[in-house]
């Protein structure tokens, strides 16, 4: 549990101003929780275009977040769709701050559209900035930066449709990257949700067809990487301010939690996400104290990514062991599922909160409070409309 004996707690930090600010803001602050829009709905866009990520609104999770904010004590919480009507709705409801629970509406880099729009409108938000949204969502860009930072990730190359039919036997980049490695491989879109449109390919000879299928479905770049057959894990990480046991804390490092092993069923080569199968407690396992070294390695990698990428809010990191038991980062989820647990169904983020004395409301309050603390500390002049509410 989080307590003042934890070595990661800043014992000199005084939470009184944050508490005072929140008490002032509970009855005044107007919050919009934004979920993905539907480009097929009339009035949502001017012209409907292709969406390589596939469409999902995340509206039920937005409702979970909104309900938690109300339960915490905020009086004015609105749930809104992410489409071209959003700016007018934000203005009509006099929104002061937004919570991004959206992957965008359409386009090839849609996940960064709404944070960019909010920055233009002058509305602060809980979510990644436009640049980080893109870097985390575009898997090949994320992996390139991991390599530059010395963080292990699977060897990979990409192939865009404009480059024509992919023939691994004649491709110089393929030969240089994979050398004598002949499979198996994972082929997937460079942008997209979870386990959708991902191909497990046993040998080099199957790569051309898999790449062609990605091009046909997404009209976008395919990523080819080495397949690791070891154990699979994930870990979540967010900012420095946390709330648990009715107390606010400031961590000396980003708060990394929910260190989980994900189990594959017979015949599964990748973990099938909630898009295809519910996340149940039988499919995952929290790492215990008997695996402290592994747990701390996962936490250290997550904290390094959070700091080195200069992240602003929650992200989930997915990792796997290679055949030698070495951890490699698979990818990052810039908008991890914050579904409220129910019965046997949970989410990979919230499953490990009990270990730190935290509830679902605690993680929601932590994410909002960390963002407010950051804005009030470093960008106070940019949020005068919120600062003026604090007496």
């Amino acid at each position: 549990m989080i307590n003042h004996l934890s070595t990661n707690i800043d014992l000199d930090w005084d939470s009184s101003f944050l508490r005072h600010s929140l008490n002032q803001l509970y009855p005044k602050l107007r919050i919009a929780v934004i979920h993905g829009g539907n480009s097929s709905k009339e009035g949502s866009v001017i012209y409907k275009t292709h969406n390589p990520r596939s469409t999902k609104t995340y509206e039920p999770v937005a409702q979970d977040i909104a309900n938690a904010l109300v339960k915490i004590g905020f009086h004015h919480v609105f749930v809104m769709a992410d489409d071209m009507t959003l700016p007018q709705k934000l203005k009509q409801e006099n929104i002061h701050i937004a919570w991004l629970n959206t992957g965008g509406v359409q386009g090839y880099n849609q996940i960064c559209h709404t944070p960019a729009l909010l920055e233009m409108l002058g509305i602060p938000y809980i979510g990644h900035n436009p640049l980080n949204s893109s870097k985390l969502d575009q898997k090949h860009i994320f992996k390139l930066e991991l390599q530059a930072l010395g963080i292990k990730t699977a060897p990979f190359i990409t192939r865009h449709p404009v480059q024509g039919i992919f023939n691994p036997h004649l491709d110089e980049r393929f030969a240089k990257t994979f050398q004598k490695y002949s499979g198996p491989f994972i082929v997937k879109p460079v942008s997209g949700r979870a386990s959708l449109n991902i191909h497990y390919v046993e040998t080099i000879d199957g790569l051309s067809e898999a790449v062609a299928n990605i091009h046909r479905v997404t009209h976008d770049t395919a990523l080819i990487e080495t397949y690791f057959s070891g154990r699979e894990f994930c870990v979540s990480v967010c900012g420095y301010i946390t709330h648990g046991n009715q107390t606010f804390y400031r961590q000396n490092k980003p708060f990394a939690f929910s260190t989980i092993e994900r189990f594959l069923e017979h015949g599964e080569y990748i973990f099938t996400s909630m898009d295809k199968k519910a996340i149940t407690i039988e499919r995952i396992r929290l790492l215990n104290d008997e695996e402290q070294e592994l747990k701390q390695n996962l936490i250290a990698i997550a904290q390094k990514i959070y700091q080195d990428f200069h992240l602003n809010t929650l992200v989930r990191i997915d990792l796997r062991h290679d055949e030698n038991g070495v951890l490699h980062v698979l990818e990052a989820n810039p908008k991890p599922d914050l579904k409220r647990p129910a019965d046997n169904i949970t989410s990979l983020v919230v499953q490990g909160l009990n270990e730190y004395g935290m509830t679902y409301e605690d993680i929601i309050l932590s994410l909002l409070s960390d963002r407010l603390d950051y804005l009030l500390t470093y960008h106070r002049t940019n949020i005068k409309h919120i600062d003026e509410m604090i007496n």
Side-chain angles (χ1 to χ4, degrees):
M1 289 199 174
I2 297 177
N3 56 58
H4 286 294
L5 299 178
S6 172
T7 57
N8 200 34
I9 298 295
D10 182 353
L11 299 177
D12 295 325
W13 182 67
D14 184 358
S15 66
S16 57
F17 176 69
L18 177 58
R19 285 189 171 277
H20 169 75
S21 299
L22 287 168
N23 287 333
Q24 296 290 309
L25 293 174
Y26 285 138
K28 304 174 186 176
L29 193 67
R30 301 176 71 83
I31 308 171
V33 182
I34 301 172
H35 62 81
N38 182 354
S39 61
S40 297
K41 182 179 178 181
E42 185 177 356
S44 63
V45 297
I46 297 176
Y47 301 111
K48 190 176 185 300
T49 65
H50 178 67
N51 187 345
R53 298 184 84 252
S54 73
T55 300
K56 186 174 183 180
T57 67
Y58 308 99
E59 186 174 359
V61 177
Q63 292 288 350
D64 284 344
I65 295 169
N67 292 338
L69 290 168
V70 172
K71 187 174 180 180
I72 287 165
F74 291 99
H75 293 194
H76 309 287
V77 183
F78 306 83
V79 176
M80 299 181 179
D82 180 7
D83 56 32
M84 76 175 185
T85 67
L86 181 61
Q88 186 61 31
K89 290 177 181 176
L90 294 169
K91 183 178 180 181
Q92 287 174 348
E93 298 297 348
N94 191 27
I95 296 301
H96 301 125
I97 191 168
W99 187 303
L100 295 179
N101 190 65
T102 173
V105 185
Q106 62 180 15
Y108 283 83
N109 206 9
Q110 67 273 46
I111 200 166
C112 74
H113 294 168
T114 311
L117 173 67
L118 292 175
E119 292 195 4
M120 184 270 286
L121 296 174
I123 297 178
Y125 53 88
I126 297 94
H128 298 288
N129 65 43
L131 178 60
N132 279 335
S133 295
S134 294
K135 286 197 296 186
L136 294 168
D137 187 56
Q138 297 287 324
K139 298 175 177 61
H140 58 314
I141 304 301
F142 177 63
K143 286 168 70 71
L144 284 171
E145 195 150 340
L146 288 176
Q147 291 177 337
L149 293 168
I151 300 172
K152 292 185 181 300
T153 187
F156 75 101
I157 64 168
T158 59
R159 184 77 177 190
H160 190 274
V162 75
Q163 295 172 282
I165 296 173
F166 177 65
N167 185 337
H169 298 287
L170 302 177
D171 192 278
E172 293 182 2
R173 293 174 307 135
F174 182 88
K176 182 177 180 180
T177 300
F178 296 104
Q179 298 180 14
K180 296 181 179 180
Y181 181 78
S182 59
F185 300 90
I186 290 292
V187 182
K188 56 188 175 183
V190 292
S191 173
R193 296 202 318 270
S195 54
L196 298 181
N197 300 314
I198 297 184
H199 301 263
Y200 169 82
V201 181
E202 280 281 0
T203 67
I204 291 175
D205 292 331
L207 288 175
S208 182
E209 181 180 354
V211 170
N213 186 65
I214 298 285
H215 290 170
R216 178 181 56 81
V217 172
T218 68
H219 306 167
D220 201 7
T221 306
L223 185 148
I224 306 163
E225 67 181 2
T226 301
Y227 173 77
F228 292 134
S229 59
R231 297 164 66 189
E232 181 164 314
F233 308 94
C234 63
V235 54
S236 298
V237 59
C238 56
Y240 297 82
I241 304 297
T242 57
H243 185 270
N245 301 314
Q246 301 182 331
T247 305
F248 282 103
Y249 302 96
R250 176 170 172 76
Q251 312 285 323
N252 289 312
K253 295 181 179 180
F255 177 50
F257 61 103
S258 287
T259 49
I260 288 172
E261 180 172 9
R262 309 197 294 194
F263 297 122
L264 302 177
E265 296 183 358
H266 179 71
E268 277 189 328
Y269 297 103
I270 60 167
F271 187 79
T272 305
S273 77
M274 62 177 292
D275 288 311
K276 293 185 176 181
K277 189 186 302 182
I279 307 296
T280 62
I281 57 176
E282 289 82 16
R283 301 182 64 207
I284 59 178
R285 177 182 70 88
L286 282 170
L287 297 182
N288 55 40
D289 291 339
E290 295 178 1
E291 296 181 285
Q292 195 61 228
E293 183 178 355
L294 172 59
K295 184 175 179 178
Q296 290 305 313
N297 284 343
L298 291 168
I299 287 173
I301 292 171
Q303 289 173 333
K304 180 174 175 58
I305 288 173
Y306 194 94
Q307 290 177 313
D308 288 352
F309 279 75
H310 304 287
L311 301 183
N312 307 112
T313 192
L314 179 69
V315 66
R316 193 191 75 233
I317 310 297
D318 298 339
L319 311 94
R320 261 203 191 188
H321 277 154
D322 65 12
E323 63 277 8
N324 297 315
V326 178
L327 282 170
H328 288 69
V329 174
L330 297 177
E331 57 188 62
N333 188 327
K335 197 205 68 55
D337 181 34
L338 276 172
K339 177 181 175 62
R340 180 187 289 275
D343 298 328
N344 188 41
I345 299 175
T346 185
S347 82
L348 296 169
V349 171
V350 303
Q351 181 63 21
L353 293 176
N354 286 342
E355 181 180 5
Y356 298 90
M358 298 174 71
T359 64
Y360 182 78
E361 279 70 30
D362 283 324
I363 191 61
I364 298 301
L365 182 55
S366 296
L367 294 171
L368 177 62
S369 300
D370 181 72
R371 189 59 178 160
L372 282 172
D373 178 79
Y374 176 84
L375 292 169
L376 289 168
T377 302
Y378 301 105
H379 296 287
R380 201 161 187 165
T381 57
N382 292 338
I383 56 164
K384 290 180 180 179
H385 63 289
I386 294 178
D387 193 29
E388 289 169 355
M389 301 179 199
I390 303 170
N391 300 324

